[in-house]
Amino acid sequence: MKAITYVGEEKLSLKDIDVPQIANGEALVKVSYGGICGTDMMIYAGVHPRAQSGLVMGHEFSGEISEVKGKSSFKSGDSVAINPIRSCGTCVPCKSGNYHICENLRYIGIDLDGGFAEYVKIPIENLHTLSNQVKQDEAAVIEPLAVAIHTVRRSTFKVGDTVTILGAGPIGILIGIIAKLSGAAKVIISDISDYRLKVAASYGLHPVDAKEKDLIEEVKETTKGIGSDVVFEVAGNQITADQMIGAIKTQGEIMVVSVYKKPPMIDLAKMHFREISLSTTRCFSPKDFEAAIQFIEEGRIDIEGLISHRLPVESFEEGFQLVKKSTDSLKVLFKL
């Protein structure tokens, strides 16, 4: 089978490898679509601390069951979403139900071979059956949607709040959509990509072109000088690390979603004097993943508008370059 493998810094390879052999309690999934994530870009750049050379990448993917071993309600031909989180179940976070922050957390597509391949073996407990109305390309976006749902849930966001999102990538826009569906009075979102801002506007978000406008001034003007109730930082650079403090109201909350490649400088004094809270978020809970499936099955979110490219797996280099450039792409999918 064909598989996209990580070789080294900015070096990938499309290889012919053996189809995985499954054990009892596992399913062999024929992959339909796999999406490139920001974490995949960290692996591609050679800066992810866990990914090793030879890894089959991809943790956002969908498919159909080809084979199942062991007692299960799943059967060949079932359309499935895959939760890529593998938790130990024995550490303190796991015992308290927080499997997504497991002390020994592993991720399919990061620590274990993932979905940028024609077939992948998956533990049965990581599979979720999808209804027939869910398209396979939409199903590949369930994982980032779960991240957005978890992010908004973890925040102090309340109905009627004004929200600012720094970064209009797929996660940023999805956070904006969830906040809007949850009753946000206004969702401001900034980026330097005209294309991404246009897509954000199509979902009813208030776009701010950071190349042309001062984001902080725009937020102050929109909120009558108060600032946003919650700021979600989703871009992961020093510029947005500075902006998040200026955009938040006194006693507001900044939620850091990004995984920074380099530690940013944060002016804690500015936060201290205004009692600003700083929170972080990671991955998603099983409940969030199930909610993401429900949102898509019920047609509450137009996933189609977020998918900018569907490429054959042979065009893997083009796909990664599109995401690296970022200005003219959103969710890039490989058709396996």
Side-chain angles (χ1 to χ4, degrees), residues 91-108:
C91 67
V92 172
C94 282
K95 286 181 177 179
S96 62
N98 294 305
Y99 303 103
H100 62 291
I101 49 173
C102 169
E103 293 174 0
N104 306 296
L105 183 142
R106 295 184 298 165
Y107 234 80
I108 295 168

Side-chain angles (χ1 to χ4, degrees), residues 108-164:
I108 295 168
I110 298 173
D111 307 283
L112 307 165
D113 283 344
F116 287 170
E118 293 180 80
Y119 292 90
V120 59
K121 65 176 181 178
I122 303 294
I124 290 171
E125 61 262 30
N126 286 68
L127 298 174
H128 294 258
T129 304
L130 297 175
S131 59
N132 292 331
Q133 63 260 38
V134 178
K135 298 177 182 176
Q136 285 290 317
D137 54 355
E138 293 178 337
V141 188
I142 287 172
E143 197 268 359
L145 176 56
V147 171
I149 291 170
H150 180 70
T151 298
V152 176
R153 276 182 168 165
R154 258 194 62 74
S155 74
T156 57
F157 168 81
K158 298 178 182 64
V159 174
D161 280 355
T162 296
V163 167
T164 293

Side-chain angles (χ1 to χ4, degrees), residues 16 47 68 80 97 106 166 239 244 250 312 315 325:
D16 284 317
V47 297
V68 182
V80 290
R106 295 184 298 165
L166 308 177
I239 294 172
M244 65 187 188
T250 296
S315 299
K325 185 181 177 184

Side-chain angles (χ1 to χ4, degrees), residues 40-327:
D40 294 315
M41 297 308 295
M42 289 184 69
I43 296 172
Y44 177 65
V47 297
H48 196 285
R50 303 198 313 270
Q52 300 296 311
S53 180
L55 169 75
V56 177
M57 299 171 65
H59 62 273
E60 300 178 2
F61 59 99
S62 62
E64 295 183 352
I65 292 178
S66 177
E67 181 186 356
V68 182
K69 281 190 177 180
K71 187 177 180 181
S72 171
S73 60
F74 293 101
K75 62 185 184 300
S76 179
D78 282 351
S79 178
V80 290
I82 296 92
N83 183 335
I85 293 177
R86 298 291 293 144
S87 305
C88 71
T90 59
C91 67
V92 172
C94 282
K95 286 181 177 179
S96 62
N98 294 305
Y99 303 103
H100 62 291
I101 49 173
C102 169
E103 293 174 0
N104 306 296
L105 183 142
R106 295 184 298 165
Y107 234 80
I108 295 168
I110 298 173
D111 307 283
L112 307 165
D113 283 344
F116 287 170
E118 293 180 80
Y119 292 90
V120 59
K121 65 176 181 178
I122 303 294
I124 290 171
E125 61 262 30
N126 286 68
L127 298 174
H128 294 258
T129 304
L130 297 175
S131 59
N132 292 331
Q133 63 260 38
V134 178
K135 298 177 182 176
Q136 285 290 317
D137 54 355
E138 293 178 337
V141 188
I142 287 172
E143 197 268 359
L145 176 56
V147 171
I149 291 170
H150 180 70
T151 298
V152 176
R153 276 182 168 165
R154 258 194 62 74
S155 74
T156 57
F157 168 81
K158 298 178 182 64
V159 174
D161 280 355
T162 296
V163 167
T164 293
I165 301 166
L166 308 177
I171 296 291
I173 293 177
L174 283 167
I175 290 170
I177 293 169
I178 295 300
K180 190 172 176 63
L181 286 173
S182 302
K186 191 151 197 173
V187 179
I188 302 164
I189 188 165
S190 69
D191 207 284
I192 59 173
S193 165
D194 294 337
Y195 169 73
R196 292 185 167 197
L197 290 171
K198 184 177 180 180
V199 174
S202 74
Y203 286 99
L205 312 184
H206 177 73
V208 177
D209 187 340
K211 302 189 307 298
E212 305 292 334
K213 295 182 178 179
D214 184 314
L215 170 71
I216 296 171
E217 289 302 315
E218 186 79 6
V219 171
K220 294 292 187 184
E221 182 178 338
T222 303
T223 60
K224 299 180 180 179
I226 296 171
S228 285
D229 296 284
V230 183
V231 170
F232 296 96
E233 196 292 297
V234 202
N237 60 61
Q238 186 60 54
I239 294 172
T240 51
D242 293 335
Q243 289 175 333
M244 65 187 188
I245 298 174
I248 196 69
K249 72 175 186 179
T250 296
Q251 293 187 319
E253 181 192 44
I254 296 168
M255 177 64 74
V256 177
V257 187
S258 303
V259 179
Y260 280 80
K261 295 181 179 67
K262 296 179 181 178
M265 297 290 291
I266 305 293
D267 192 337
L268 294 178
K270 287 184 178 179
M271 296 180 62
H272 174 84
F273 293 121
R274 295 169 56 213
E275 289 192 343
I276 294 169
S277 298
L278 181 66
S279 301
T280 60
T281 181
R282 184 187 188 190
C283 305
F284 49 85
S285 71
K287 182 179 178 181
D288 301 318
F289 197 83
E290 291 164 5
I293 293 172
Q294 185 176 357
F295 268 92
I296 293 179
E297 287 188 332
E298 293 177 354
R300 298 178 67 189
I301 297 177
D302 174 23
I303 295 297
E304 177 69 27
L306 294 171
I307 301 172
S308 61
H309 296 80
R310 297 170 181 81
L311 302 174
V313 68
E314 291 81 7
S315 299
F316 66 96
E317 287 285 7
E318 179 187 352
F320 275 82
Q321 288 304 313
L322 280 166
V323 178
K324 182 179 180 181
K325 185 181 177 184
S326 78
T327 52

